[in-house]
Amino acid sequence: MGKDGNTSTFNISYTNFFLVGFPGLSEWRPLLVLPLTFLYVTIISANALVIHTVAAQRSLHQPMYVLIALLLAVNISAATAVMPKMLEGFVHYANPISLHGCLAQMFFIYFTLLLDYNLLLAMALDRYVAICHPLRYSDLMTSRLLGVLAFFALTRSLGVAVPLVVLTSRAQFCRTVVIRHFTCEYIALLSIACGDLTFNNHLGLAMRLATVSFDLALLGTSYTRIIYTAFQISSGGARAKALHTCGSHLLVILTIYLSGLSTSIVFRVAKTVSQDVQNLLSAIYLLLPGTLNPVIYGVRTREIRQHIEKMLCGKELAREVREKPKRLQNTRVKAKLAG
């Protein structure tokens, strides 16, 4: 027998599991299907609206808006990697999933998460050049540079997500077939694995710390310089616009990094926290960015907001123009009948 009470040879390694998210809410789970479905549809619709606005308006075909559209596209992908299986789990108490399906879901979760981080770095670079070197902005922020940044983002995301998935696939899962989580997160899978998992735990923690530390150092340096330069701008209107734009980016950064940090702390430190609380923190961590980002960028970014208002109000105006002759005709007919 091994130290943990399992057989040392681990002859049994399960390849099919059951996702049981929020196990303490068994009676309320069916009632949450409609609100969660509405949340998923809202995430898809709100993000798609902003993406469509950026794509349809030539005046928004600039690096900052393109990066915003890419970030929101990643939000849609992240929600789609999590929500359908999560909703299925609320319909059926035990939600079956294969090991390969679990690993695929884990890959897309961490791949899109890393893409979020990398796009925020690219947006910080864009704002740094725009505010600190405005005269060279069009020369520096070219489509070629955007292509390089996109390649860097994809490569770095794959460089973190792939090793985690490969390492997890080599583990032996012999404790249970029940994953007490609504999705296949790295720590959730390790919780049902057996054997010596020290290396897995240390690698996951090291990757998280290295990624977050590197990103926060760059983001902190960039936005400190940006804010300092913005306060040196003599024009009050230009200064307010620069600070307002940076404020939107900083709100998104705080949302993504603070939610992720709180989840990691609870999973690794607070062992007495219930499974439902852990599941709730993971849901906030995975879904909050996709919910708030289109609101932050769609409302706080004036150029995007104006085009959305024009597009929505334009449709109403066109409908009124079409319906006005009908109303006039009806009024004339009523007047004749009354006469």
Side-chain angles (χ1 to χ4, degrees), residues 247-249 251-252 255 289 291-301:
S248 298
H249 294 324
L251 278 175
V252 173
T255 299
T291 306
L292 292 184
N293 288 354
V295 177
I296 293 172
Y297 287 121
V299 174
R300 288 182 57 86
T301 306

Side-chain angles (χ1 to χ4, degrees), residues 37-235:
T37 302
F38 177 76
L39 175 63
Y40 182 45
V41 172
T42 301
I43 290 174
I44 300 297
S45 304
N47 284 278
L49 175 62
V50 179
I51 293 170
H52 171 74
T53 303
V54 172
Q57 303 298 328
R58 292 185 63 85
S59 61
L60 297 180
H61 293 179
Q62 301 175 33
M64 184 181 81
Y65 305 114
V66 171
L67 290 171
I68 288 174
L70 289 175
L71 182 69
L72 300 188
V74 172
N75 291 162
I76 292 176
S77 301
T80 303
V82 174
M83 289 293 288
K85 201 65 182 171
M86 182 181 181
L87 288 170
E88 185 180 342
F90 277 95
V91 175
H92 310 288
Y93 180 76
N95 187 9
I97 188 169
S98 66
L99 176 60
H100 290 106
C102 213
L103 293 173
Q105 187 183 53
M106 190 177 83
F107 168 78
F108 282 109
I109 288 173
Y110 290 104
F111 179 69
T112 53
L113 177 64
L114 265 295
L115 276 180
D116 262 348
Y117 292 169
N118 294 326
L119 286 172
L120 291 176
L121 288 176
M123 293 164 79
L125 174 63
D126 173 77
R127 289 301 86 201
Y128 174 79
V129 175
I131 295 172
C132 299
H133 304 282
L135 298 179
R136 302 182 60 195
Y137 180 78
S138 58
D139 295 329
L140 294 174
M141 293 304 296
T142 61
S143 57
R144 180 179 180 180
L145 179 59
L146 284 179
V148 171
L149 292 175
F151 178 77
F152 169 77
L154 290 171
T155 303
R156 185 168 178 249
S157 301
L158 288 171
V160 175
V162 170
L164 283 178
V165 172
V166 171
L167 192 64
T168 305
S169 68
R170 294 179 178 177
Q172 299 290 311
F173 303 101
C174 58
R175 292 183 185 276
T176 178
V177 295
V178 176
I179 302 174
R180 297 170 70 81
H181 206 285
F182 62 87
T183 190
C184 292
E185 282 200 81
Y186 182 67
I187 298 178
L189 269 174
L190 289 187
S191 68
I192 64 168
C194 33
D196 185 6
L197 301 173
T198 305
F199 179 73
N200 301 62
N201 288 319
H202 287 173
L203 178 66
L205 182 60
M207 283 188 166
R208 171 60 65 87
L209 289 176
T211 301
V212 172
S213 300
F214 176 77
D215 289 359
L216 289 181
L218 286 181
L219 291 170
T221 302
S222 299
Y223 281 104
T224 299
R225 179 63 178 168
I226 289 169
I227 292 171
Y228 174 79
T229 303
F231 277 109
Q232 307 305 310
I233 299 174
S234 57
S235 171

Side-chain angles (χ1 to χ4, degrees), residues 257-276:
Y257 282 93
L258 287 181
S259 59
L261 182 62
S262 63
T263 303
S264 294
I265 291 174
V266 168
F267 276 173
R268 297 181 183 278
V269 178
K271 301 296 185 182
T272 58
V273 175
S274 71
Q275 287 292 136
D276 290 337

